[in-house]
Amino acid sequence: MGMEVIRRESSMLMNLPLKSLKVDEVSKVGRQGPYFRDGLRQIDYVLTYHVQKTPTSVRRQPSRSFARSMRDSLMRSFRRTRQTPDPQEDPEIAAQEHQSDYHEDDQNFRREEFEENLREMGLELERDEGTTIPGMGFLKIHAPWSVLCREAEFMKLKMPTKKMYEVKQGSNIVEKINLFIHKVTEPLHPKVEESKSQTAKHLSYPFSRERQHLFDLSDRASFFSSKTRSSIVYEVLKRTKCTRTKYIMGITSLLGNGVYTSAYPPHDGDIDGIQAEPNDRKILYEEWASYSIFYKYQPIGLIRKYFGEKVALYFAWLGVYTQMLIPAAIVGVIVFLYGCATVDDNIPSMEICDPRNNITMCPLCDRACSYWKLSTACGTARASHLFDNPATVFFSVFMALWATMFMEHWKRRQMRLNYIWDLTGLEEEDLIDTDHPRPDYEFRVRQKTLHKESHSSKNEKVKLTCTDRMPAYMTVFIMMCFMISVTFAIVFGVVLYRISIKTALHMSSTPTFRSNVRATVKGTAAVINLIIIIIMDEIYGALARWLTVLEVPKTDQSFEERLIFKTFILKFVNAFTPIVYLAFFRGRLVGRPGKYLYVVGNYRMEECAHAGCLMELCIQLCITMLGKQLIQNNLFEIGIPKLKKMMRRRKTKMDAQQEEEFKKNLQRHERDHFLGAFAGLNPEYMEMIIQFGMVTLFVASFPLAPLFALLNNVIEIRLDAKKFVTELRRPPAARAKDIGIWYNLLRGLSKVAVIVNAFVIAFTSDFIPRLFYQYMYSPDGTLHGFVNHTLSYFNVSDFQPGTAPLQPMHLGYSVDLCRYKDYRDPPWSDTPYEFSREFWAILAARLAFVIIFQNAVMLMSDFIDWLIPDIPKDISLQIHREKALLVDLFMKEEQGKKPPRSVQSQHSPPLARSRPSSNTQRNT
Amino acid sequence: MGMEVIRRESSMLMNLPLKSLKVDEVSKVGRQGPYFRDGLRQIDYVLTYHVQKTPTSVRRQPSRSFARSMRDSLMRSFRRTRQTPDPQEDPEIAAQEHQSDYHEDDQNFRREEFEENLREMGLELERDEGTTIPGMGFLKIHAPWSVLCREAEFMKLKMPTKKMYEVKQGSNIVEKINLFIHKVTEPLHPKVEESKSQTAKHLSYPFSRERQHLFDLSDRASFFSSKTRSSIVYEVLKRTKCTRTKYIMGITSLLGNGVYTSAYPPHDGDIDGIQAEPNDRKILYEEWASYSIFYKYQPIGLIRKYFGEKVALYFAWLGVYTQMLIPAAIVGVIVFLYGCATVDDNIPSMEICDPRNNITMCPLCDRACSYWKLSTACGTARASHLFDNPATVFFSVFMALWATMFMEHWKRRQMRLNYIWDLTGLEEEDLIDTDHPRPDYEFRVRQKTLHKESHSSKNEKVKLTCTDRMPAYMTVFIMMCFMISVTFAIVFGVVLYRISIKTALHMSSTPTFRSNVRATVKGTAAVINLIIIIIMDEIYGALARWLTVLEVPKTDQSFEERLIFKTFILKFVNAFTPIVYLAFFRGRLVGRPGKYLYVVGNYRMEECAHAGCLMELCIQLCITMLGKQLIQNNLFEIGIPKLKKMMRRRKTKMDAQQEEEFKKNLQRHERDHFLGAFAGLNPEYMEMIIQFGMVTLFVASFPLAPLFALLNNVIEIRLDAKKFVTELRRPPAARAKDIGIWYNLLRGLSKVAVIVNAFVIAFTSDFIPRLFYQYMYSPDGTLHGFVNHTLSYFNVSDFQPGTAPLQPMHLGYSVDLCRYKDYRDPPWSDTPYEFSREFWAILAARLAFVIIFQNAVMLMSDFIDWLIPDIPKDISLQIHREKALLVDLFMKEEQGKKPPRSVQSQHSPPLARSRPSSNTQRNT
């Protein structure tokens, strides 16, 4: 066929160096930068694929060379660790991939067609098969100027025009203040060009070939940055389809089916070494991805220039979040210090600690425990004052408003970035492509088509309907419910552990054991919870992905959304169930002396120590936050990669220096091939969202949470930065105007936080009972007598048989009445042990507090939301000015054109005659 | 000056018929349609102005002609009624306007400059001074083709291209269902073309002169519709400035300063009469603005085509709202009928009505009233069951979700309309112009500049700062607070009226009076409230406008927002204060027998009848809704215009036929001049929002509200339609993607509705006490004994001296203990007359209900919100398909162009040489 001939010709053409460059020049240039072999054409994208083993290269020779062995093992370990997300997990696709391994010819055929189509679209290609890395083919793609222009026009890429204009930041005073702030924070800014001059901006306009004269095209090589070039090529790749095979296949399908193994744009250059010329990546490495400059702002503009808007938005968001955590952390520390300072003036804890208040408490467990004196709970009472004082109420209102401020601040920042990055004119629809079906989906549709064709021969478009997906949906639903109940079961298990250990320790005769009972149980339980949370976190992550694959969503966007949704629910439930249990259920379901609630045989449900529920919540939160962050960040994100590297080295029996040496000889795109694949930003966001939940949801009980979060995030930013700059392949630059679904999740969390905090203050802390006592019962308006008021009386003769303490004389005297913490009628009233009038009144007060708190805070949040405009005023002014300037520009151009020839006649001469009056009139 | 010459020349040129049309032809054509005198050029916009009285036309001659007298009085009455909003109200501007009346020359000068500038922009003008209507000049504006094209490009107007494509409405089944629905509802669709074919749509693309070949320009006259033409001209008008005078003046300033008196696009044609050729206005009149077709859908597409997107969105919104009210009304009626059906099975009212339950109640007022038997409250108890039954709780949950559904439905409808109207690619910023300062603002700035210049000579841009505006802000704040307290005072006044009338009537000896006391008082009080609400509504409307003028907002948009904000607050407070008082305060602040609460001397605060608070709330709501709608709609919107017309006719001493005759002789734009000015959509929206508040806020107490609203809106739609088609000048077509601030207000209201309904159910109705009794106290699980449980005991010996009834033996027996509705301890307990344990428990239950109801409903709403995608699936698919089709189209065009000449060399030949490789490679 003629086709075949053309293809062969073209592939020969491709491999020839087209320019008459000298060979040594080529090799030199080609090695340093990401260029074609001619040293002129930039590599904008790289596709890799497995090369058919040619018969000459017989592998596994006994006398294989050192370098070869290294390469092979590198390749193998790489193949194992690389994260092409789905085909490995979906058994069907994996099977298909396996099958297609047998049809390497078929793959070759598709590759050739795809490459031909790419060339049809105007791209220029160069193949690089197994030259340095055996078994690996590289297809280097270069987009020539014409293609760049065409695609930039289609993508409505806004490019800077020649026209500059002065950026005014509001009135003179505002400008001066801004300048002053900028000067003061000078040392905090990274040493990057963009952070300096902001007084003038290029007017930008969607690139148009007809209006090329608007743009400064004097340096074509740098007009489109490497990020833009790669995104343009990616756009073309996505649009190109293989149609000659039975099923239409796009790049995603080709990747999914193993025709190509990966696709990535090459990095700009090296981060170190002598050869490394100054490039954006190196600047980022020095001015961003370093722990030593943790106090500096991030060079967001440069990040955007190098990684694209989506990645830059993540880091901008992380930056704003971290920045906003600073005031929250400061206020939190102040609140904590206020608690410390006032601990000695706190009347309730003074009363508890005072041994003169000879209050005998009822035993904490059946038989084994005996009566105890309230003054022994002195330590807990004092400690719990640290987290349960009026300042806590203020702090949780503060944090609710802080969350709103944060959201607003981010919205404004986002808008400002959109403006600076020239995204203001773009619509959502221009940015996301929801049209490319995923390979899994295509595969399923194909299966269905085959199935259908055997039954009927209708020619309608087949797609997956609800009935096709029903089994998957059912599985997902059942699995989600199951996993959530597993989480509940685990928490209940830990509770049982606590109860049983406590009882066992109480039973033991060693007195030192007994005295340490509380601390031991609390500590071990919290640590167990932490470990379970971390383990389950990993399991749930994998499970959510598996479930999403089962669902076979149509597009990548839908896949991502469903995955996020599932992961969020599972991880959230996992992280917060123990905390919610501690905050709202613990100590509430105990019954009362003489009528305790028993679970699983005859375990009594656990009580809190006097005023101790909040304290335990606090410990749990502290351990979870610290532990999760330390372990997940340091161990998982730093430790494991290092361990892997070590393992790999040991396997290849090569030290670091040798590996470096080998890599140095590789070309840019080949070196990138050994880096990890970019796996999306979702795990990063997810981690932060859970943290945001910790910071806002239970902040009423743990005012130090923002501080912990702040410390973690300062490290997190640089850690992620390092990962992006040094360890991952360059991600395809994606445009984005916002952080998408994450914003909604944040919003939802901050709404839930309001009500959770309301409940924590109302029910977990003693805030309402204290207020109630002070204003309704106290004889002198102080809290004196509060402790006595909260304790009900119990007649020891009312113990159920077999539950009375074995050692009733433990305290040295015989006890007739013991006290317990509850509002119940005394034994001598008409309704003994019923809830008393105070109980109901306080309950009403608690509930009223919840309603008032929730609605007041929500109202305040909405008010702040309404008060702060979403678009900063200067930005909205600038946008309007830009628009006016553009119209001006075009009007001037228009008038400049007019004299030589009429606009009308130029464009539509055949119709101009029908309206002769219009031209005559204009000659005024 | 040479300038002067050119201007004169041009104005001479303008008045000449340029084409060699015969005179009779001109006059014929010119009279019928909105055309220039040449009969060819369409009038796209009209500016009117007062003409200097020429010395020849001496007015007020004793022997004036009939027609002249008619015209004069018409003019006078018109000037009085026309609603140019601000200059008349702002004393400063009015003064300035007055002053500028003395400088007619100055005005002429400005007009000439403005017209010259318009001609500079390419518009064609024709003057028409005092030919038919004395003292009135008309400047007719025509936009020639070249201007239309240029501006359409600037405005990014999406126009239909030649390329058609098939619209698919989802899968086959969905399409069939849609078709079926469309067939079933066939008689409901208006007989308008657009409602028929929806299977194919023109691909639309922002108009571009370079891509003219894409568009179907075969009929240039109709390519841009009259609406589009007028909006284009309006755009040019807004951009044109008078710079030659001391201060730069735009069209808004010119209008505000009386240089021009009004600006409007002419209507398309007549709605009736023999001359009326078929035009859009006539079709709208027949197929939309008629009461007889109240059951039909509105021809939204045609409304948009004629009035522009903003007006069409209002009617679309009103239509969706009315449509959504149908299910709400049906469910509401069912709930009401359920109440009616179960009234005889209702145990509490049976118990009240049963005379065997010989319950003696405490007197309802001091001294004059005596003890009474509970069975006399039988009627009220039965009636209140109609509105206070379990179905009400269901209904208020239903309505909360209904509100969410409505918002979602509207969002989707809006998106669909955006798609159909080709607004999807546009940004907010393209649609609103926030840059044109209002004349008031400019005037103030000018004053400030003058003031400043006398002090210092800095050349910085002057603008109004906070300090300048402080007095206005303070006034606004104080006035708003004052007006709100006036509303409160009025409500309190009505309460006092009720108390005093009641006491007076009780005192009177006539027994018929006494028995009718309740009904009389309730009825008159509700009517008084209604009348006050309606009167204050008008006052507040005017006041809000005055306050906003005081503030001198910079732009029209800001003016509108501030006005809406103030009007909304005032009108809302006005409409809802009496209702809120009845729902939450009435009967709650009465104290208890022996310790009543007295206000203003010795008036006892009013109590509700037994179970009667909800009933009164219901009556008030019913009267307010019905009365407000009947009076405001029918009287104000229909009656007063008719009355005015009648008055005018009597004054001009001319019957209807003569007036018609006179008007028939006028040209289109002159006839439009006698119509009312378009005053914006805000009053219409405001009316609907208040109604929406009535429908959602207290729906728990009045399930018939949606029905009343539905009946009102069916009329409202046609009423507004008539107004727009027949009584108002054509509004300048404004583009809009959404209903703006009103959506947020709706959202806010539906949020508030949830909590208000929660409180109404929890506190105003007896729902919670009944539930509580049934599950906690009832011996047999039914409501038997509930009435007795709700009544506390009072020992008559505990009456305060002087308050005991004068006729203690009124019932025929001596009373020792009387009963009153409250949960208090009996006189014989340890704590007599204290709130009992039940009181606190029920209070806790009520509060818990509020929390659960609020959060559950909010969660459900959010869930619905999340479940229903904002963009309908088929629309999002279409949008993506359109995008793909466009790219296809351009790629084909690209490839079609390629063979004859390279794209690259065509556009940038000088640079093509630097990259010789790119062209060589493409020849595959």
Side-chain angles (χ1 to χ4, degrees), chain B residues 71-349:
Chain B
R71 279 172 206 154
D72 281 2
S73 54
L74 263 182
M75 279 310 303
R76 256 178 284 129
S77 71
F78 173 75
R79 263 185 231 163
R80 222 173 293 122
T81 55
R82 97 197 136 97
Q83 294 166 292
T84 31
D86 317 305
Q88 294 169 322
E89 277 140 327
D90 188 348
E92 287 173 333
I93 296 296
Q96 205 207 4
E97 188 187 25
H98 191 68
Q99 200 187 20
S100 64
D101 273 342
Y102 293 103
H103 302 291
E104 289 231 356
D105 280 341
D106 188 42
Q107 291 199 347
N108 255 330
F109 181 73
R110 284 195 193 152
R111 264 203 293 278
E112 273 174 29
E113 192 205 337
F114 190 67
E115 282 161 29
E116 195 179 323
N117 289 343
L118 286 183
R119 252 173 269 124
E120 190 78 26
M121 301 291 273
L123 295 180
E124 296 172 14
L125 311 174
E126 190 175 64
R127 265 196 191 163
D128 200 354
E129 271 183 16
T131 47
T132 19
I133 305 171
M136 216 61 215
F138 291 93
L139 180 72
K140 294 175 280 184
I141 304 175
H142 167 77
W145 179 248
S146 61
V147 171
L148 290 176
C149 290
R150 187 187 70 209
E151 295 296 323
E153 194 173 318
F154 288 172
M155 287 164 77
K156 295 177 198 160
L157 279 187
K158 273 197 178 177
M159 302 301 295
T161 60
K162 278 181 244 172
K163 171 116 183 151
M164 303 270 287
Y165 70 97
E166 204 188 345
V167 174
K168 269 220 168 181
Q169 291 171 329
S171 69
N172 275 16
I173 305 162
V174 176
E175 207 162 338
K176 268 175 202 160
I177 293 171
N178 277 347
L179 213 73
F180 176 73
I181 292 174
H182 197 84
K183 249 187 196 157
V184 169
T185 57
E186 187 64 59
L188 298 184
H189 285 280
K191 284 182 216 114
V192 182
E193 237 171 88
E194 46 114 21
S195 72
K196 276 166 206 162
S197 69
Q198 290 215 331
T199 49
K201 189 178 184 290
H202 282 279
L203 195 66
S204 55
Y205 187 73
F207 187 80
S208 154
R209 282 167 294 177
E210 271 106 8
R211 294 230 164 92
Q212 262 186 349
H213 56 275
L214 288 177
F215 303 97
D216 178 19
L217 301 181
S218 58
D219 183 10
R220 280 194 180 185
S222 65
F223 183 70
F224 294 109
S225 68
S226 65
K227 175 212 72 172
T228 315
R229 298 175 69 98
S230 74
S231 68
I232 286 174
V233 174
Y234 190 54
E235 198 63 32
V236 177
L237 284 179
K238 279 193 295 188
R239 219 169 48 226
T240 311
K241 308 268 176 203
C242 282
T243 50
R244 224 171 291 157
T245 45
K246 196 164 180 190
Y247 313 108
I248 295 170
M249 288 175 105
I251 179 71
T252 42
S253 302
L254 293 174
L255 280 169
N257 289 314
V259 177
Y260 291 102
T261 50
S262 62
Y264 55 89
H267 271 298
D268 258 12
D270 285 317
I271 43 174
D272 45 16
I274 339 141
Q275 305 170 328
E277 72 281 29
N279 60 54
D280 285 345
R281 193 183 177 203
K282 201 178 172 191
I283 299 173
L284 279 176
Y285 182 69
E286 284 160 3
E287 291 299 327
W288 180 47
S290 162
Y291 292 116
S292 59
I293 46 167
F294 71 91
Y295 57 89
K296 281 193 182 178
Y297 288 105
Q298 302 177 78
I300 294 296
L302 195 64
I303 301 172
R304 177 240 174 185
K305 195 182 154 209
Y306 193 75
F307 291 110
E309 283 80 7
K310 208 169 179 179
V311 173
L313 269 179
Y314 165 69
F315 283 103
W317 177 80
L318 192 54
V320 167
Y321 175 44
T322 307
Q323 221 176 338
M324 285 295 286
L325 276 174
I326 296 173
I330 292 172
V331 176
V333 169
I334 290 172
V335 165
F336 181 72
L337 291 179
Y338 170 83
C340 292
T342 55
V343 72
D344 288 328
D345 309 332
N346 183 34
I347 297 167
S349 64

Side-chain angles (χ1 to χ4, degrees), chain B residues 565-607:
Chain B
F565 180 71
K566 285 189 198 66
T567 320
F568 179 74
I569 287 184
L570 287 177
K571 290 205 170 182
F572 203 79
V573 167
N574 181 38
F576 286 97
T577 310
I579 297 169
V580 168
Y581 167 75
L582 276 178
F584 300 123
F585 296 100
R586 174 116 193 253
R588 250 149 257 287
L589 307 163
V590 286
R592 60 168 178 84
K595 206 180 167 187
Y596 282 113
L597 189 77
Y598 293 94
V599 285
V600 199
N602 53 356
Y603 286 115
R604 227 170 88 182
M605 277 303 283
E606 52 183 350
E607 283 179 78

Side-chain angles (χ1 to χ4, degrees), chain B residues 352 419 468 570 613 644 653 720 788 853 912:
Chain B
I352 289 175
Y419 163 69
D468 293 321
L570 287 177
C613 269
K644 272 186 184 164
K653 290 169 199 113
D720 284 347
N788 191 37
F853 185 90

Side-chain angles (χ1 to χ4, degrees), chain A residues 759-907:
Chain A
F759 273 99
V760 167
I761 296 172
F763 286 92
T764 315
S765 88
D766 270 345
F767 178 69
I768 301 293
R770 277 201 303 264
L771 266 190
F772 193 79
Y773 177 79
Q774 205 165 356
Y775 292 106
M776 304 287 280
Y777 287 90
S778 174
D780 54 356
T782 65
L783 282 172
H784 284 292
F786 171 70
V787 173
N788 191 38
H789 183 254
T790 59
L791 298 174
S792 300
Y793 291 91
F794 180 70
N795 192 329
V796 296
S797 62
D798 293 334
F799 269 125
Q800 278 180 305
T803 60
L806 294 172
Q807 298 172 301
M809 298 293 284
H810 177 75
L811 289 174
Y813 51 86
S814 134
V815 176
D816 291 329
L817 287 172
C818 69
R819 310 290 296 272
Y820 59 102
K821 200 185 176 195
D822 212 340
Y823 292 96
R824 286 177 187 269
D825 283 337
W828 54 82
S829 80
D830 299 339
T831 49
Y833 308 130
E834 288 282 287
F835 285 120
S836 65
R837 189 187 303 211
E838 286 85 52
F839 173 84
W840 293 111
I842 288 176
L843 183 62
R846 287 182 199 266
L847 291 167
F849 175 83
V850 170
I851 294 176
I852 294 169
F853 184 90
Q854 185 187 1
N855 288 293
V857 172
M858 269 169 37
L859 195 75
M860 277 194 278
S861 298
D862 284 350
F863 182 70
I864 289 179
D865 197 351
W866 173 80
L867 204 68
I868 303 176
D870 286 358
I871 304 174
K873 211 181 161 195
D874 57 326
I875 296 295
S876 91
L877 282 178
Q878 293 297 352
I879 291 174
H880 282 288
R881 249 185 83 204
E882 275 201 22
K883 255 182 60 189
L885 279 173
L886 264 180
V887 169
D888 266 15
L889 195 69
F890 289 145
M891 279 306 287
K892 258 180 214 155
E893 205 175 282
E894 207 76 43
Q895 277 157 355
K897 262 193 219 160
K898 235 189 226 166
R901 44 187 177 166
S902 152
V903 183
Q904 195 179 5
S905 58
Q906 177 190 2
H907 288 288

Side-chain angles (χ1 to χ4, degrees), chain B residues 719-738:
Chain B
L719 195 73
D720 284 347
K722 266 190 189 301
K723 200 165 93 184
F724 271 89
V725 173
T726 64
E727 285 166 29
L728 294 184
R729 290 183 200 150
R730 191 171 182 177
R735 287 193 291 177
K737 288 184 87 169
D738 51 39

Side-chain angles (χ1 to χ4, degrees), chain A residues 89-109:
Chain A
E89 276 141 327
D90 189 350
E92 287 171 332
I93 297 296
Q96 206 206 3
E97 189 187 25
H98 192 67
Q99 200 187 20
S100 64
D101 274 340
Y102 293 103
H103 302 290
E104 291 233 355
D105 280 341
D106 188 42
Q107 292 199 347
N108 255 331
F109 180 73

